[in-house]
Amino acid sequence: MVTSVRMTPPLPLIFLLMIRGVSGAGWSVSYSRSHICALKDSTVIMNCTYTYPTGHQIKNVFWTKTTVINGFEPPDLSNDPEYSQRLQYLGDKQQNCTVRLSHVTLNDEHMYYFRFITDKRDLKWTGYPGVTLTVTDDFDLQLESPERVTEGDSVTLTCKSSCALTDRATFIWSRNSLKILTESNFSNKLSLNPVRREDSGRYSCAVDGHTHISPAVQLNVTYPPKNVSVLISGSGVIVEGDSVTLNCISDSNPPAEIRWIKGETIVGSGRIFNISKISSDDSGEYKCKSINEHGEKYSDPVTLNVMYPPRNVSVLISGSGVIVEGDSVTLNCISDSNPPTLNFSWFKENEASAVGSGQSFSALQSGRFYCQAHNQHGSQRSDAVTVTVHPRSSWHEVFVITVECGAIFILVIIIIVVILFIIKKRRSVKSEDITVKEISDPNEDTYTALVHRTNPELCGRSHI
């Protein structure tokens, strides 16, 4: 007869036992495991099945930790005070002989056997060898993990124990000492699929209900550069002569190689790019390029706008700088500066007070003039230029009179030429009329008359 014992709820950690079957002429007992290492205070389930020849009926079944010695029947553990409150038979009187032992102690280390008795001449059978139970209060947990993986890979971490734990054990996983509270992670395997860069850290495992924790293992997830940006040290205003530092911020594993690019030209390397005594030539767009074995990425460009005071200040004269009294000459002040110069002052040499303002200045008197350009970063003056003013009653008036007289003289010459041309034309026409008339007179020799009329002087000479 099997005693049914009411047991307290088992602990979550349960161990299953398996061994090879023991048989003979239709008699057999098969254990699920031949050996198990159980944790102190855990619950052990010993699964087993048994067979016997047809025509027999089972009278009694029980578990024992001794064999038949000198014909003496081994004791039933359910009647043992040390086991009666912890041992519960879960099988039947047909084929199942599973038993559960709760709150195991170090004294429970032993080999256990299942024995059944039939109704035929008290034929009995013991499953030998039995199940060896080892109980430990000090076991080691080891975590198996790849040291280095790449983002996007599938990764599995395995928690192993020196004591063979079963699938019913509940495992607690931690990353950087913080528990990973996911139901799927309660087994002895932690799957990260796909693994992310945020999964990097120190992992450890433990068994629920026990204080044992595995040594932490570092999981190193590598990935290409991400979140690349440039940080400019100092305020937003950069003045010529300042020292400027550019810092390339990059998230990557392994750490990335950094290159600095201005426009399309590589100008430096390293995470920090320093420009001491910056000049206007350093103005422009800068970006950093982050490179590692998994890829590369550029930052967005940043612009360095270098401010500087006016320089290369000069005066441009419209014309020769020589004028007549009453006229003016325009002087323009040319300046290179950042920001552009908006304030200009004009001075006459040897005079303390300004004589004008603005980029252009109209000079009305003789002298040497210069301009001074200003912005918030400084000022600079130009070299002086000379303006000469001549009195209007001098050579200018003579020149004007000469020009006017010359024009009148030319006009007179033109009129005389026209008159002479008209007179000559009229004389030519009159001579032709006389010639026609003489030719028509029959009393005069034609040739003589023609020559005489045409050239009286010649004719006179001929006549003499």
Side-chain angles (χ1 to χ4, degrees):
M1 180 176 180
V2 178
T3 303
S4 177
V5 181
R6 183 178 182 84
M7 304 294 293
T8 58
L11 293 176
L13 189 60
I14 299 176
F15 296 86
L16 305 180
L17 308 177
M18 289 183 165
I19 68 168
R20 67 184 183 277
V22 182
S23 62
W27 303 82
S28 70
V29 175
S30 296
Y31 301 104
S32 55
R33 291 185 183 272
S34 61
H35 179 269
I36 188 169
C37 175
L39 299 179
K40 182 182 176 181
D41 292 327
S42 66
T43 296
V44 174
I45 294 180
M46 305 178 198
N47 283 333
C48 83
T49 59
Y50 63 102
T51 61
Y52 46 90
T54 305
H56 292 73
Q57 290 185 354
I58 301 301
K59 292 176 54 179
N60 191 18
V61 292
F62 60 92
W63 282 80
T64 182
K65 59 181 181 181
T66 61
T67 59
V68 177
I69 301 176
N70 298 326
F72 289 97
E73 189 70 22
D76 184 348
L77 288 182
S78 61
N79 297 323
D80 189 330
E82 293 184 7
Y83 289 89
S84 60
Q85 299 299 317
R86 299 184 295 121
L87 187 70
Q88 183 178 11
Y89 184 71
L90 302 178
D92 52 35
K93 290 185 177 183
Q94 296 177 358
Q95 291 183 329
N96 190 349
C97 52
T98 300
V99 70
R100 177 168 60 197
L101 178 61
S102 303
H103 304 290
V104 296
T105 67
L106 296 177
N107 294 329
D108 291 335
E109 284 192 342
H110 214 283
M111 180 173 286
Y112 294 85
Y113 312 93
F114 173 70
R115 182 173 175 80
F116 63 93
I117 302 173
T118 68
D119 60 343
K120 301 293 185 180
R121 300 188 304 274
D122 288 337
L123 291 177
K124 307 170 185 179
W125 189 266
T126 300
Y128 183 88
V131 178
T132 300
L133 176 62
T134 302
V135 181
T136 181
D137 189 29
D138 182 17
F139 65 98
D140 293 330
L141 287 175
Q142 297 296 328
L143 184 57
E144 293 184 351
S145 169
E147 292 184 1
R148 185 171 179 174
V149 297
T150 302
E151 188 176 40
D153 290 349
S154 178
V155 179
T156 299
L157 284 68
T158 304
C159 189
K160 290 188 174 182
S161 170
S162 58
C163 188
L165 306 180
T166 69
D167 293 338
R168 293 193 180 185
T170 300
F171 288 80
I172 304 299
W173 290 89
S174 299
R175 180 177 65 242
N176 299 328
S177 301
L178 297 177
K179 289 184 179 180
I180 304 174
L181 300 177
T182 304
E183 291 293 336
S184 59
N185 296 335
F186 289 163
S187 71
N188 71 321
K189 294 183 182 296
L190 176 64
S191 295
L192 303 173
N193 185 22
V195 67
R196 305 169 302 164
R197 67 181 187 275
E198 293 85 3
D199 293 325
S200 293
R202 296 184 62 80
Y203 285 78
S204 59
C205 63
V207 177
D208 189 25
H210 294 268
T211 59
H212 299 80
I213 300 176
S214 71
V217 173
Q218 179 70 38
L219 179 65
N220 187 15
V221 182
T222 61
Y223 51 92
K226 301 175 183 291
N227 306 321
V228 182
S229 62
V230 175
L231 179 65
I232 305 176
S233 65
S235 63
V237 178
I238 302 173
V239 181
E240 194 170 43
D242 287 350
S243 178
V244 176
T245 300
L246 304 181
N247 192 359
C248 186
I249 308 300
S250 175
D251 177 18
S252 65
N253 188 22
E257 175 188 350
I258 304 297
R259 295 176 186 170
W260 290 95
I261 301 170
K262 179 186 178 185
E264 301 297 329
T265 304
I266 296 176
V267 294
S269 62
R271 189 166 296 276
I272 295 177
F273 180 60
N274 185 66
I275 306 174
S276 59
K277 294 184 179 180
I278 196 167
S279 70
S280 59
D281 294 336
D282 296 316
S283 293
E285 284 191 345
Y286 291 79
K287 57 187 175 183
C288 66
K289 181 181 180 181
S290 181
I291 312 164
N292 72 4
E293 62 196 64
H294 301 293
E296 61 183 42
K297 189 175 179 63
Y298 287 89
S299 69
D300 290 334
V302 296
T303 300
L304 293 186
N305 186 19
V306 181
M307 304 293 180
Y308 53 93
R311 61 191 181 190
N312 303 324
V313 180
S314 62
V315 175
L316 180 65
I317 306 175
S318 58
S320 65
V322 179
I323 58 173
V324 178
E325 187 177 26
D327 291 340
S328 65
V329 64
T330 299
L331 308 180
N332 288 300
C333 191
I334 309 302
S335 172
D336 173 25
S337 64
N338 188 21
T341 302
L342 298 178
N343 298 319
F344 298 88
S345 300
W346 291 91
F347 295 87
K348 187 176 182 181
E349 270 192 345
N350 302 321
E351 292 186 10
S353 300
V355 295
S357 61
Q359 191 165 8
S360 297
F361 171 68
S362 295
L364 302 174
Q365 54 183 307
S366 297
R368 288 177 58 80
F369 295 88
Y370 64 88
C371 69
Q372 192 167 23
H374 310 259
N375 71 6
Q376 61 262 44
H377 302 295
S379 64
Q380 188 183 67
R381 58 162 286 179
S382 70
D383 292 334
V385 297
T386 301
V387 175
T388 302
V389 179
H390 293 286
R392 185 171 292 275
S393 58
S394 62
W395 62 269
H396 180 266
E397 292 180 351
V398 173
F399 174 76
V400 171
I401 293 172
T402 302
V403 171
E404 290 177 353
C405 290
I408 294 173
F409 176 77
I410 293 173
L411 181 61
V412 170
I413 295 300
I414 292 173
I415 293 173
I416 292 172
V417 171
V418 172
I419 293 173
L420 291 176
F421 177 77
I422 294 173
I423 293 172
K424 185 177 181 181
K425 185 70 175 177
R426 286 181 179 179
R427 284 181 180 181
S428 177
V429 172
K430 186 175 181 180
S431 296
E432 290 176 0
D433 291 344
I434 295 173
T435 301
V436 172
K437 181 178 178 181
E438 291 295 332
I439 292 174
S440 63
D441 188 350
N443 299 320
E444 189 174 356
D445 181 70
T446 302
Y447 174 77
T448 304
L450 179 60
V451 172
H452 177 77
R453 297 301 180 186
T454 304
N455 196 339
E457 185 181 69
L458 180 60
C459 291
R461 290 179 183 177
S462 178
H463 182 71
I464 291 175

